[in-house]
Amino acid sequence: MSDLPSDSSARPALAARYREVRSRSEELCTTLEPEDYQLQSMPDCSPPKWHLAHSAWFFETFLLVPHAPGYRVHHPRYGFLFNSYYDSIGDRWARPARGLLSRPTVAEVYAYRRAVDEGMLGLIESADDQVLGVIAPLVEIGLNHEEQHQELLLTDLKHAFGLNPLRPCYAPAVDVEAVDPSPLGWEPHQGGVRWIGHEGPGFTFDNEGPRHREYVAAFALASRPVNNGEYLAFIEDGGYDRPELWLSDGWAAGRDAGWSAPLHWHRDGPGHVLFTLRGMRPLDPAETVCHLSYYEADAYARWAGARLPTEAEWETASRSRPVEGNFLDSGRLHPTTAGGSFYGDVWVWTSSPYAAYRGYRPAAGALGEYNGKFMCNQMVLRGGSCVTPPGHVRPTYRNFFPPHARWQFSGLRLAKDLSE
């Protein structure tokens, strides 16, 4: 959905936003060496070069081919190489093997992006008002899609750099002033019927609706996310070795993978250090803990005598809050000291499975594969992270990952039941 005007008054704003988002993707790559563009550290990750090419393919496939008169695809095999999961579009290169694609070269991928940008800006400029009304919402979907890949580019790159014994820095280290952790408080919320999901102006993905009513029982939400010091207490209390704290699947996943701390934590004598996009740094107890799987978040909550919030509870509590926090534009690239913001720093796991709201229908055609086909075996996260582009999240935004995933900037905020 988009609230952009459907006539020529939309052209300047649409073109400007297109340029801004597309430029940001390339700006995120200015610190990379040519070898970095090729890195793929696991099947769930993709190389930076693939992210850049795939986002161009999205605009070419869903906008230029059907709507730009006389447009010819940039390369006849790019559709096979850079299709992600759109089965109705056609066959595609296997996801785990994206790092094997030394060709096209980095220069050729940037040339592809330039060609697509030229075509897109020409289409926005030349389309009549009727066509502009059709393509404007598609452009907005494409730009939000690219913003998702900007975050993925950084998380995927951090995973790859984190496996390198040299621990390379994505960006130079910065000095961060240590701050004492704030005490954990509880914010009560009365039970009642609440409106959940998006309605009204502004862009949203289709999985954020339809808006509907849900009964939300009385609950309390922690005043801030869990911090490193609190999570360290869980580790020191044998949290990773106590099966009574874990879901069965989580216990098995942790045993198989050898989990003993969050991803990117490393032992340094008696303590821990963290790998960040700005290099190694000592563990700060006051910082928000991140790189947790759903299983780890759930086990911690049980150890703490609490639980994870449902997504309806999180949305209820966040509705009146400004969408402000530590996002990509802060330049920090790492969570801050755990505070009261509901947005930024880390995506927080909820206890809600990723499923359709009542009345949900995916969009017609290939774009209907964007969200709906993944409504199985995933858990919902809310709130955005320190590498989420600014303006990309909102109270109704539903992120989702499988419960074992922990390479994203994911953490937790505790909840508990209250008497009615």
Side-chain angles (χ1 to χ4, degrees), residues 30-187:
T30 55
T31 65
L32 302 186
E33 297 295 339
E35 293 82 358
D36 299 329
Y37 282 88
Q38 198 62 33
L39 286 173
Q40 183 179 22
S41 52
M42 65 173 175
D44 286 339
C45 292
S46 297
K49 187 174 71 174
W50 189 92
H51 285 295
L52 293 174
H54 167 70
S55 52
W57 169 88
F58 190 97
F59 285 106
E60 182 178 58
T61 301
F62 293 111
L63 281 135
L64 292 177
V65 170
H67 298 290
Y71 179 82
R72 299 180 61 184
V73 295
H74 185 75
H75 191 288
R77 295 297 284 167
Y78 281 9
F80 173 73
L81 293 181
F82 302 124
N83 179 0
S84 54
Y85 51 70
Y86 296 91
D87 292 306
S88 57
I89 297 291
D91 200 6
R92 58 194 179 277
W93 183 253
R95 179 174 182 168
R98 289 171 182 170
L100 301 178
L101 297 173
S102 62
R103 305 298 175 94
T105 64
V106 173
E108 288 169 332
V109 166
Y110 277 104
Y112 180 35
R113 289 179 64 87
R114 287 194 296 271
V116 169
D117 287 347
E118 181 180 355
M120 283 297 305
L121 292 170
L123 176 61
I124 293 170
E125 176 62 32
S126 64
D128 61 35
D129 287 356
Q130 181 178 4
V131 173
L132 190 66
V134 172
I135 69 169
L138 298 176
V139 174
E140 193 61 40
I141 290 174
L143 295 175
N144 277 267
H145 166 262
E146 182 141 355
E147 288 175 332
Q148 290 178 320
H149 279 274
Q150 290 166 358
E151 180 160 2
L152 288 168
L153 188 153
L154 291 175
T155 54
D156 292 359
L157 193 65
K158 182 177 181 180
H159 187 268
F161 279 2
L163 294 177
N164 189 326
L166 297 178
R167 305 283 191 254
C169 295
Y170 165 79
V174 294
D175 293 329
V176 179
E177 182 179 357
V179 178
D180 292 334
S182 60
L184 183 69
W186 293 93
E187 300 175 355

Side-chain angles (χ1 to χ4, degrees), residues 376-392:
C376 181
N377 300 328
Q378 314 263 354
M379 302 301 289
V380 174
L381 303 94
R382 294 294 192 115
S385 83
C386 56
V387 292
T388 301
H392 185 71

Side-chain angles (χ1 to χ4, degrees), residues 6 49 86 103 111 116 193 213 228-229 239 280 351 377 401 406:
S6 58
K49 187 174 71 174
Y86 296 91
R103 305 298 175 94
V116 169
V193 177
R213 288 180 292 182
N228 287 333
M280 301 297 292
S351 62
N377 300 328
F401 280 99
R406 61 188 202 143

Side-chain angles (χ1 to χ4, degrees), residues 161-411:
F161 279 2
L163 294 177
N164 189 326
L166 297 178
R167 305 283 191 254
C169 295
Y170 165 79
V174 294
D175 293 329
V176 179
E177 182 179 357
V179 178
D180 292 334
S182 60
L184 183 69
W186 293 93
E187 300 175 355
H189 295 268
Q190 295 181 343
V193 177
R194 305 287 183 243
W195 283 103
I196 302 297
H198 183 85
E199 183 178 76
F203 173 83
T204 60
F205 289 112
D206 62 356
N207 64 359
E208 297 175 55
R211 192 169 187 241
H212 59 286
R213 288 180 292 182
E214 289 187 27
Y215 180 77
V216 179
F219 70 100
L221 198 64
S223 58
R224 57 163 173 78
V226 172
N227 63 33
N228 287 333
E230 291 162 338
Y231 198 85
L232 182 60
F234 166 75
I235 296 174
E236 292 176 341
D237 195 39
Y240 280 90
D241 298 311
R242 294 171 57 182
E244 73 273 16
L245 298 175
W246 292 75
L247 296 170
S248 176
D249 283 350
W251 179 254
R255 297 289 98 178
D256 290 345
W259 294 345
S260 60
L263 182 65
H264 298 307
W265 285 35
H266 300 275
R267 279 285 182 184
D268 182 28
H272 289 86
V273 292
L274 307 183
F275 175 72
T276 78
L277 284 167
R278 294 186 178 276
M280 301 297 292
R281 57 179 295 168
L283 183 142
D284 182 346
E287 283 181 350
T288 303
V289 66
C290 68
H291 296 298
L292 298 177
S293 67
Y294 170 82
Y295 296 133
E296 291 165 292
D298 178 77
Y300 176 90
R302 191 170 292 107
W303 173 82
R307 60 174 175 81
L308 300 180
T310 68
E311 63 170 326
E313 288 172 339
W314 188 94
E315 188 171 321
T316 296
S318 69
R319 281 285 191 174
S320 60
R321 310 297 180 112
V323 185
E324 299 173 350
N326 174 30
F327 295 119
L328 177 61
D329 57 334
S330 75
R332 184 180 171 93
L333 305 175
H334 188 70
T336 56
T337 299
S341 176
F342 272 68
Y343 299 92
D345 279 328
V346 294
W347 292 98
V348 293
W349 288 104
T350 74
S351 62
S352 298
Y354 178 52
Y357 292 153
R358 183 177 180 182
Y360 169 79
R361 298 290 183 274
L367 280 175
E369 298 186 58
Y370 197 112
N371 285 308
K373 67 190 288 181
F374 299 108
M375 291 177 173
C376 181
N377 300 328
Q378 314 263 354
M379 302 301 289
V380 174
L381 303 94
R382 294 294 192 115
S385 83
C386 56
V387 292
T388 301
H392 185 71
V393 293
R394 50 202 159 266
T396 58
Y397 192 106
R398 307 174 77 199
N399 200 357
F400 54 92
F401 280 99
H404 66 270
R406 61 188 202 143
W407 87 103
Q408 295 301 313
F409 286 84
S410 48

